Amino acid sequence: MSTTPLLFSGSSNPQLAEAIAKRMKISLGDALVTKFKNEETRIEIRENVRGAEVFVVQSICKAPNGNGVNDALVELLLMIDALRRASAARITAVVPYYGYAKQDKKTKPREPISAKVVANLLKTTGTKRVVTMDLHAAQIQGFFDIPVDNLMAMPTLCNYLKREGLSDDRIVVVSPDAGGVHRAELFAKRLNASLAIVFKRRPQPDVSEVTDIVGDVKGKIAVIVDDMISTGGTLAKAAEAIKARGATSVQTVATHGLFADNAIEVLTNSVIERVIITDTIPILQPAGEKFIQLSIAQTFADAIGRITTNRSVSELFSVEEIKLDANFVESITVS
Ligand code: R5P
């Protein structure tokens, strides 16, 4: 197998794919990713991949060119199929945001387990490995019978918080729901901060209500940590409840900024002072100075480098201080 990896990108997050390629000191592979007139996805790999170690970068999310979540998934599958038929030696799906992950179990009769369907599709088309980040539920790795590297944005996010002076006993890290406690604990440990938990219920999909808070937030700067922001309701409501309990200010960090529906407006009008997210998903609407996007391209470039040379990927997260990506974007204002 050729040792120089090839990196291809679908249309969902080309900016991140470019950034990863730049850090790997390679150019993105030549591929046509478009649509036929009848709206079907059309893929053509325009360079030789025979015997190559190939990575395809594609978040399962809406794209800057107007393509939807389902387009992103189909592009990824068809690119993998094309690469397999072109005799690539090993194909890795690099999925910074693994979409459909929220549907990872049946909560009612006659519902699909969508996260498993996506796993099946990736495997069937010829994916030999998946690299992703902060899966909504770590157990989704078990839906695959191939290796899955579930990277963490936590070191990048924590380094930024520390740089902003948001560490030590003035800070309380808050999980906005019971499911996020483990993640919040990791942040609290790294920031030498205390921990609090908000309990929420969802009376219906995409609607959240705070039922209780455990832990002391009075007089502290609260940092709410979540894996994703969809409608923004979870964070806005948790922030309000924490403020009402006496927190002096509320900041939020999340890996995946989906910003569905009017989330930007909800968060802009909330008591939250700063909304910090990464670039696993492109920001497609205007956002003000409250929104700060950090790049996790270096983490992906490092992981790909380690996979290519058969070195440990977990070591990447054991080092105490991962260097802060010098190219993070301070503040996004998309007009
Ligand atoms: C829930 O389990 C997740 O961790 C997020 O809290 C949730 O997906 C955020 O959704 P929304 O922004 O729509 O409240």
Side-chain angles (χ1 to χ4, degrees):
M1 181 162 67
S2 160
T3 49
T4 311
L6 298 178
L7 192 69
F8 288 89
S9 175
S11 71
S12 71
N13 199 343
Q15 202 179 337
L16 175 60
E18 281 287 356
I20 297 171
K22 193 170 157 204
R23 283 157 180 77
M24 290 171 65
K25 299 189 171 46
I26 60 173
S27 302
L28 282 177
D30 189 7
L32 178 77
V33 182
T34 182
K35 283 190 179 180
F36 291 103
K37 289 228 159 65
N38 67 0
E39 298 266 309
E40 289 172 6
T41 299
R42 179 180 164 214
I43 301 293
E44 199 181 301
I45 306 297
R46 291 179 153 171
E47 65 181 271
N48 179 26
V49 296
R50 200 171 279 275
E53 163 100 274
V54 181
F55 295 83
V56 183
V57 183
Q58 179 83 323
S59 278
I60 301 173
C61 63
K62 279 163 89 171
N65 66 2
N67 279 350
V69 175
N70 296 338
D71 291 313
L73 177 60
V74 173
E75 278 180 13
L76 176 61
L77 297 172
L78 297 189
M79 288 183 88
I80 289 164
D81 186 71
L83 290 160
R84 179 176 52 82
R85 290 174 195 281
S87 304
R90 182 168 70 170
I91 304 161
T92 299
V94 180
V95 189
Y97 171 65
Y98 187 92
Y100 282 107
K102 277 173 99 165
Q103 292 155 291
D104 60 354
K105 57 184 162 307
K106 283 177 71 169
T107 53
K108 285 195 292 213
R110 299 178 293 282
E111 280 187 338
I113 302 182
S114 312
K116 173 63 176 157
V117 174
V118 173
N120 286 348
L121 291 169
L122 285 170
K123 171 80 191 308
T124 309
T125 41
T127 307
K128 290 290 180 252
R129 173 184 286 274
V130 174
V131 180
T132 185
M133 182 167 265
D134 292 325
L135 279 169
H136 179 58
Q139 310 85 279
I140 291 172
Q141 289 171 86
F143 292 173
F144 291 90
D145 290 321
I146 52 175
V148 177
D149 293 300
N150 185 22
L151 310 181
M152 289 187 286
M154 186 264 289
T156 305
L157 293 167
C158 280
N159 283 354
Y160 177 80
L161 292 169
K162 279 187 182 174
R163 212 193 65 171
E164 293 294 298
L166 295 168
S167 60
D168 301 320
D169 56 4
R170 293 175 308 118
I171 309 299
V172 57
V173 172
V174 182
S175 172
D177 50 37
V181 175
H182 177 60
R183 182 181 307 109
E185 267 183 312
L186 293 176
F187 274 75
K189 195 167 161 220
R190 201 172 268 247
L191 297 173
N192 295 318
S194 55
L195 183 68
I197 305 162
V198 169
F199 289 88
K200 84 172 180 202
R201 60 183 280 271
R202 281 207 186 276
Q204 60 191 75
D206 290 326
V207 177
S208 69
E209 279 171 10
V210 172
T211 55
D212 204 357
I213 300 174
V214 172
D216 190 11
V217 297
K218 194 163 188 221
K220 300 219 177 201
I221 301 171
V223 177
I224 312 179
V225 175
D226 211 346
D227 62 326
M228 67 169 91
I229 303 174
S230 183
T231 64
T234 297
L235 290 183
K237 296 231 171 98
E240 211 172 279
I242 294 164
K243 258 302 204 46
R245 289 275 182 106
T248 53
S249 75
V250 183
Q251 327 263 332
T252 65
V253 296
T255 306
H256 311 295
L258 276 85
F259 300 127
D261 198 18
N262 63 341
I264 299 268
E265 196 185 325
V266 168
L267 296 167
T268 302
N269 297 333
S270 74
V271 298
I272 299 167
E273 283 185 12
R274 256 187 297 192
V275 179
I276 302 156
I277 34 86
T278 79
D279 57 353
T280 56
I281 296 176
I283 310 291
L284 303 175
Q285 312 154 55
E289 284 180 5
K290 197 185 254 199
F291 295 80
I292 296 181
Q293 190 182 41
L294 308 180
S295 178
I296 38 66
Q298 189 64 51
T299 306
F300 276 95
D302 287 347
I304 291 170
R306 283 168 178 266
I307 289 164
T308 309
T309 50
N310 291 320
R311 283 178 298 146
S312 160
V313 170
S314 62
E315 259 176 30
L316 205 53
F317 302 99
S318 58
V319 284
E320 203 32 57
E321 290 295 325
I322 288 197
K323 52 184 184 308
L324 181 65
D325 188 341
N327 288 326
F328 70 86
V329 184
E330 267 289 0
S331 156
I332 313 152
T333 313
V334 188
S335 55

